[in-house]
Amino acid sequence: DQLLWWVDLLGWLLSGLTTFPIGVMKYLTWPHTSWITRITSSHHLWTIPVTLHAARGMHWASYPLSVYVVTSHVLLSRWLTPFIVINASDKVEGEKKKASNIKDMQE
């Protein structure tokens, strides 16, 4: 995730501030995105360089551990994220429910 931000930032700068190659940073350019969201999202850009500098590099064993942690987080988040989020407004007769982690929900 952190590296994709760097790819998006570089692509955005090289495109003349018009296109994000991946799109993970796109929400920062939306007019309704608050300044506090923009500032707090900056951690995606500085976390890895600061951590590498503070640790004076990476030990070879940290890569397999990182792969394990990321894989387990992806699997757990996919398993624990509900398919349907029911709000009070969804209880109105005939209204479709909101699907959170699937593209098109059929009833």
Side-chain angles (χ1 to χ4, degrees):
D1 177 48
Q2 311 288 358
L3 293 176
L4 297 178
W5 274 69
W6 283 100
V7 172
D8 249 9
L9 179 62
L10 184 61
W12 184 60
L13 293 172
L14 291 175
S15 73
L17 310 180
T18 59
T19 305
F20 293 99
I22 297 171
V24 295
M25 289 183 65
K26 187 182 282 188
Y27 73 94
L28 294 176
T29 61
W30 296 343
H32 63 274
T33 301
S34 68
W35 65 271
I36 193 71
T37 299
R38 290 183 175 121
I39 291 171
T40 57
S41 295
S42 72
H43 79 276
H44 290 1
L45 298 172
W46 57 260
T47 299
I48 290 177
V50 168
T51 303
L52 288 175
H53 176 72
R56 293 184 174 88
M58 273 177 54
H59 190 273
W60 66 270
S62 63
Y63 181 72
L65 177 62
S66 177
V67 169
Y68 170 75
V69 168
V70 168
T71 302
S72 63
H73 283 183
V74 167
L75 293 174
L76 284 171
S77 64
R78 182 66 181 168
W79 177 54
L80 296 172
T81 303
F83 283 98
I84 299 171
V85 177
I86 301 174
N87 296 322
S89 63
D90 291 336
K91 294 180 182 178
V92 176
E93 194 64 35
E95 188 174 330
K96 284 191 172 182
K97 293 174 177 51
K98 294 173 181 64
S100 61
N101 66 353
I102 55 175
K103 285 188 177 184
D104 186 24
M105 188 183 112
Q106 298 175 354
E107 291 186 355

